[in-house]
Amino acid sequence: MRTRLLGAAAAAALTAGVGIASAAPAQAAGFYTIKSATVGKYLSTSSFTHFGLDFKPQPGVTYRYCVVGRGTGTANLQPTAFATTATFSNSSLLVTRCTKSWRTPSNYGSWMGPAANKLSGSVYISRAYVQRYTTSSVPV
């Protein structure tokens, strides 16, 4: 019952246009974290910052990766084929930004190494996460 009340309160807050800020990646929609790393770096325009989260995606599985950061600028979140431009608009508040999700092709056999570079402004990345999608219950 308590869970339903909390869920209803969150839904009401979102409907009312109240944002919920969190420095941890959301576990919604069946995504859960499989790898994480502390980054603690400002992004550069001239080179990519690799997060040390290299992994070999399983065929047919959907993934995304998220960063927790702050700043006043934009960042290019990679792998290249799934690039996402993330905007940061507060230099003191940590926020989570995630890539578009992707489903690994059945013939994919390579490793992936999440990384990012700065497109504009100043962007600091505190942590990074690789997340996997599941249709069963999300691990806690």
Side-chain angles (χ1 to χ4, degrees), residues 77-121:
L77 306 181
Q78 296 280 341
T80 305
F82 317 107
T84 300
T85 299
T87 301
F88 296 86
S89 57
N90 190 315
S91 59
S92 58
L93 179 67
L94 287 171
V95 294
T96 301
R97 300 289 184 254
C98 296
T99 63
K100 300 168 191 151
S101 60
W102 71 89
R103 185 178 174 98
T104 310
S106 59
N107 60 348
Y108 191 85
S110 299
W111 287 76
M112 286 194 164
N117 73 330
K118 176 180 68 170
L119 296 175
S120 68

Side-chain angles (χ1 to χ4, degrees), residues 41-56:
K41 294 181 181 178
Y42 281 90
L43 298 181
S44 166
T45 304
S46 59
S47 63
F48 280 91
T49 298
H50 291 271
F51 302 134
L53 293 173
D54 293 9
F55 70 106
K56 189 167 187 177

Side-chain angles (χ1 to χ4, degrees), residues 6-42:
L6 290 173
L14 290 174
T15 302
V18 177
I20 299 173
S22 171
Q27 300 280 323
F31 279 101
Y32 67 97
T33 301
I34 58 171
K35 288 187 89 169
S36 67
T38 299
V39 179
K41 294 181 181 178
Y42 281 90

